[in-house]
Amino acid sequence: MIYLNHIQKIICGGYVCRASIRAIVFYLFLVFIPVLLPCLYGIEVLGAPRCTVYFYNPESNVDNFALLKTKLDMYLKNLGPYQFQPFCDRNTFEAHARGKHDCILILSSWYYKELKDFFPMKPVLVGTVDGESVQKKILASKADIKNLSQLKNASIASAGSEEYTRKYLKLMMGENNARLVDTFRILSVPKDIDALISMGFGLVQAALTTEYSITKLSIINQGLYKKLTILVRNEKSLHPIVAIPAGHDAEALKLLEIIENMEKTTEGKSCMQLFGVEGWRILDKKDLELLGK
Amino acid sequence: MTMHMKNPVKRTEGGAHTTASGCLLFSVVLFALIIFMIIPGDMCAGENRNVLIINSNASVKKYSQMQTAFKASFEGTSDEVDIGSKWFEEKAVEKTVRSTKPGLIFCIGSKAYVLAQEIAKDAHIIFSLGINWQRFPLTNNTYVIANEPPPVVELTTFRYLFPDIRRVGVIYSKTHNKEWIQTAMNEAKDVGIEIIGSAVKKDTEVKTALQNMMTKIDALWLIPDPVVLANAERVKEIFTLCDRAKKPVFSYDRLFADFGASLIISADITTMGKQAAQTAMNILTKKDDVEKIQNPAGSYIALDVKKIERYGIKLNSKALSSINELIE
């Protein structure tokens, strides 16, 4: 009371003014709402995102995370309390996403297979390009390299992370060539087209790329295309997949529906193109087999 | 046998001596084996895997980005010197070179290369991020990672992003870009693009040259030419004329985004850092096929999609995942 009287004196210049006390209490209450409410009921009361799309794709090195974050956040915010969080590092992603139930995951299909045994989740959708869910991966080399043994100690360009490239090459080339893969030096480049061009310049001896990029190169640069030969082809790789964590909450299901319907709007479609797919469809039996389910 | 019988003490001493020698020999062999197992095979030949990184100015973002990417990928050890710092002393760097005896010097920027040339003439040097590296003297031990992607990379990217673009205009001065335009014209044929070149002697001729080619081109390719890009006014004039004619301008530096460039293709610094690290390893492990002059392995692409749509230019939507940045 003594303290309030003191405030009254300060505010009213020494005159007692009960109306001022009420005003001060009222304004203090207003000021404390933003601080107290989140403490009592959680950060959601301020309109913070309730559910997150986590994205990690070690099959691409394009540093476009700022662009992805801006575009996807803008798209999702218009549809609800959602946000997008891309990751460029496996450990950071796993430390962040593990044990979360208020999220959905967009992952490279290769990485999903790496993760599925110790990260409980269910794959639901697969990305499509030209209506196809499967992409063909190719190990191409300079035309003078005729067989795999000539690649000993070679430099290989790839648009994926080093871990992905080594493991995928071992899968593609078979157990017999695992030691050969260990002798490779991997040059991670941002895009498939960079990998092919690096090979064209003689900077590397081979490139891990996709059939789409090779076909595109044959159309746009015949000179470069003629300099390469295809050593190994793998037809069993899916485009990125969408998974939902075990024990997910109701909001995650709503977000999954939003992701599934992205291609129905122009904004959604342009967002999807940024991570290399044109549409999503529900995984069928063949897709699930490829994912080892 | 007789000797043994005669002098059992001597026999015992000799036996102890033999056992001790055997133990010593065994220990030496074991130690050598352990060392052999610990040290990777390609290091056994006595290679020096220490690199000295000389940075022209670590406060410049792209220079520090290059250094970070190099260190993250390099498999040996490194010492670092920032010669952009105000406390820098040339003698201290010389001393570092003498004491650390690096197997290779990695120079970031031209200033670093000039210094490395002065203090360690015979050392293996990798020279990166040097603007117009051709103007610097190169020795047999110099390896260059060029700063700019070669014309063929840009031309391939033009076609990859815009399948319908076939005629690209280039304004240039013969003094600075005579050879470059010839290379670009030859490489463009492989990509199915026709380069319509126009040479100027003075910057005042740029406007007329551009107006004359405008109806014949699908896009203008702005190249680093000091005569054409003489000042900001001239640059503004080029962009205004192209915008009026709805012709996109393709360029090489993020700086031109503010003027209205539709597409910017530059070298990706992080990839160049990794490339330099791999080149360093190849030199230090004495791989014989190390290219002396290397083009940058990765590209950074910034695109103004809205402007491209406004100009009515067809964009390959599948290439959008290759875009690093949208200009808005």
Side-chain angles (χ1 to χ4, degrees):
Chain A
M1 201 58 208
I2 296 163
Y3 181 66
L4 279 175
N5 282 338
H6 183 67
I7 294 175
Q8 281 170 4
K9 279 178 186 171
I10 292 167
I11 305 287
C12 307
Y15 297 103
V16 176
C17 175
R18 289 201 178 275
S20 299
I21 297 176
R22 265 182 247 125
I24 289 165
V25 171
F26 177 72
Y27 285 120
L28 282 175
F29 180 70
L30 276 185
V31 168
F32 277 105
I33 279 178
V35 179
L36 286 175
L37 278 183
C39 295
L40 295 172
Y41 303 104
I43 198 84
E44 294 84 21
V45 291
L46 296 180
R50 278 203 290 266
C51 208
T52 305
V53 179
Y54 290 124
F55 175 74
Y56 177 57
N57 181 11
E59 294 182 47
S60 168
N61 276 328
V62 180
D63 179 8
N64 61 353
F65 300 113
L67 167 62
L68 278 172
K69 173 92 182 133
T70 314
K71 290 299 240 187
L72 267 293
D73 270 355
M74 208 184 288
Y75 176 74
L76 292 172
K77 266 180 195 163
N78 289 331
L79 301 167
Y82 309 118
Q83 67 172 345
F84 181 80
Q85 186 56 61
F87 292 87
C88 60
D89 173 69
R90 178 176 181 159
N91 294 334
T92 317
F93 165 75
E94 287 175 14
H96 204 90
R98 194 180 294 276
K100 294 265 168 72
H101 305 294
D102 54 350
C103 65
I104 64 164
L105 312 145
I106 299 180
L107 307 170
S108 123
S109 58
W110 171 83
Y111 179 61
Y112 167 79
K113 286 197 272 186
E114 288 270 301
L115 200 64
K116 68 183 167 69
D117 292 336
F118 51 96
F119 194 125
M121 61 180 153
K122 185 187 171 196
V124 185
L125 306 169
V126 62
T128 59
V129 176
D130 292 331
E132 290 288 326
S133 62
V134 174
Q135 56 179 335
K136 293 169 187 168
K137 295 273 180 172
I138 281 171
L139 177 66
S141 70
K142 294 192 322 191
D144 58 341
I145 293 172
K146 303 291 180 201
N147 56 60
L148 289 176
S149 61
Q150 283 177 271
L151 285 180
K152 197 180 175 195
N153 296 321
S155 294
I156 315 285
S158 163
S161 70
E162 178 162 353
E163 183 201 12
Y164 158 76
T165 307
R166 284 195 191 281
K167 287 186 176 174
Y168 200 87
L169 284 172
K170 283 180 183 174
L171 185 79
M172 262 179 119
M173 292 162 62
E175 280 300 311
N176 296 344
N177 289 306
R179 284 195 170 180
L180 177 66
V181 175
D182 289 335
T183 70
F184 293 166
R185 283 213 169 116
I186 309 296
L187 178 64
S188 294
V189 293
K191 303 171 260 290
D192 271 348
I193 201 90
D194 290 325
L196 288 169
I197 289 174
S198 299
M199 192 172 68
F201 290 149
L203 199 61
V204 293
Q205 285 75 49
L208 176 62
T209 182
T210 58
E211 188 170 66
Y212 171 77
S213 301
I214 300 246
T215 311
K216 198 74 194 163
L217 189 73
S218 72
I219 300 165
I220 60 180
N221 194 333
Q222 268 291 315
L224 213 55
Y225 176 71
K226 282 177 189 163
K227 285 184 189 170
L228 63 87
T229 185
I230 291 169
L231 284 178
V232 189
R233 192 189 297 262
N234 186 324
E235 306 201 350
K236 291 177 179 173
S237 179
L238 288 175
H239 286 297
I241 60 118
V242 181
I244 191 154
H248 57 80
D249 60 19
E251 208 66 51
L253 280 180
K254 283 187 202 166
L255 183 54
L256 182 67
E257 200 181 330
I258 287 171
I259 296 295
E260 192 179 352
N261 292 323
M262 275 177 97
E263 63 184 291
K264 292 178 182 162
T265 63
T266 318
E267 297 83 34
K269 208 165 185 170
S270 68
C271 285
M272 290 172 77
Q273 285 165 343
L274 292 176
F275 39 78
V277 295
E278 292 173 340
W280 299 111
R281 71 163 169 73
I282 292 172
L283 287 152
D284 62 21
K285 204 179 158 191
K286 276 186 183 173
D287 299 328
L288 288 168
E289 274 170 19
L290 286 177
L291 288 176
K293 293 297 278 186
Chain B
M1 186 73 187
T2 319
M3 268 179 73
H4 289 164
M5 291 297 284
K6 273 181 186 172
N7 194 347
V9 178
K10 224 175 190 179
R11 195 189 72 171
T12 313
E13 276 175 3
H17 181 74
T18 315
T19 315
S21 309
C23 281
L24 186 68
L25 184 68
F26 177 73
S27 306
V28 169
V29 171
L30 190 70
F31 182 71
L33 271 172
I34 291 168
I35 294 293
F36 188 74
M37 282 189 290
I38 291 171
I39 300 173
D42 49 357
M43 270 186 86
C44 288
E47 288 150 4
N48 177 356
R49 287 196 180 187
N50 185 40
V51 164
L52 174 66
I53 305 173
I54 306 182
N55 195 324
S56 292
N57 189 345
S59 66
V60 175
K61 193 185 163 193
K62 64 178 179 178
Y63 288 174
S64 61
Q65 206 180 334
M66 173 70 105
Q67 187 164 336
T68 308
F70 178 89
K71 281 166 62 188
S73 298
F74 183 61
E75 292 162 24
T77 53
S78 60
D79 295 292
E80 299 153 44
V81 185
D82 174 14
I83 61 170
S85 146
K86 58 182 174 184
W87 293 286
F88 156 69
E89 277 178 43
E90 194 173 316
K91 280 194 175 159
V93 183
E94 260 188 276
K95 212 173 165 184
T96 309
V97 172
R98 271 201 304 274
S99 61
T100 58
K101 293 189 180 69
L104 184 143
I105 300 176
F106 176 45
C107 302
I108 304 173
S110 313
K111 205 171 141 191
Y113 179 66
V114 172
L115 177 71
Q117 281 280 295
E118 278 172 24
I119 61 173
K121 266 184 184 168
D122 301 325
H124 285 293
I125 297 174
I126 298 179
F127 177 22
S128 71
L129 292 181
I131 296 166
N132 205 355
W133 59 267
Q134 292 91 339
R135 66 199 161 101
F136 295 94
L138 305 178
T139 69
N140 278 342
N141 290 333
T142 306
Y143 298 80
V144 176
I145 296 178
N147 207 11
E148 303 87 16
V152 69
V153 172
E154 297 188 59
L155 289 159
T156 306
T157 312
F158 296 164
R159 281 294 313 282
Y160 182 50
L161 292 171
F162 314 112
D164 291 346
I165 290 232
R166 295 298 166 121
R167 296 167 307 162
V168 175
V170 178
I171 305 173
Y172 66 100
S173 66
K174 284 185 180 167
T175 340
H176 296 94
N177 281 304
K178 193 180 162 190
E179 288 83 18
W180 183 92
I181 194 80
Q182 204 50 56
T183 312
M185 279 176 163
N186 290 336
E187 288 177 347
K189 283 176 200 158
D190 270 345
V191 186
I193 285 179
E194 183 192 354
I195 289 188
I196 296 167
S198 181
V200 291
K201 283 179 184 156
K202 291 181 284 183
D203 69 299
T204 46
E205 296 170 15
V206 171
K207 187 178 177 184
T208 317
L210 184 56
Q211 281 168 335
N212 289 342
M213 68 163 58
M214 202 64 96
T215 54
K216 298 174 208 158
I217 60 170
D218 300 321
L220 178 76
W221 185 6
L222 207 59
I223 61 165
D225 190 300
V227 175
V228 179
L229 307 173
N231 52 55
E233 284 309 306
R234 199 58 69 216
V235 177
K236 273 184 203 164
E237 187 179 71
I238 293 169
F239 278 94
T240 309
L241 285 170
C242 286
D243 188 51
R244 220 174 278 158
K246 292 191 170 179
K247 305 286 181 190
V249 180
F250 302 157
S251 192
Y252 62 93
D253 196 292
R254 185 65 185 73
L255 170 87
F256 295 103
D258 296 337
F259 288 95
S262 301
L263 172 71
I264 294 157
I265 303 169
S266 54
D268 185 70
I269 305 289
T270 306
T271 310
M272 285 168 86
K274 292 178 196 168
Q275 186 181 349
Q278 195 163 101
T279 305
M281 285 309 297
N282 287 342
I283 296 166
L284 295 173
T285 55
K286 299 178 174 67
K287 252 187 129 182
D288 49 5
D289 56 350
V290 185
E291 292 275 332
K292 291 271 179 191
I293 312 292
Q294 298 180 14
N295 291 309
S299 53
Y300 184 94
I301 302 175
L303 179 73
D304 189 335
V305 176
K306 283 181 187 159
K307 189 170 271 182
I308 290 297
E309 283 171 358
R310 187 157 60 82
Y311 289 169
I313 292 163
K314 189 181 164 188
L315 175 69
N316 171 20
S317 59
K318 288 190 182 70
L320 280 175
S321 59
S322 300
I323 305 300
N324 297 81
E325 183 189 345
L326 283 185
I327 304 168
E328 283 175 335

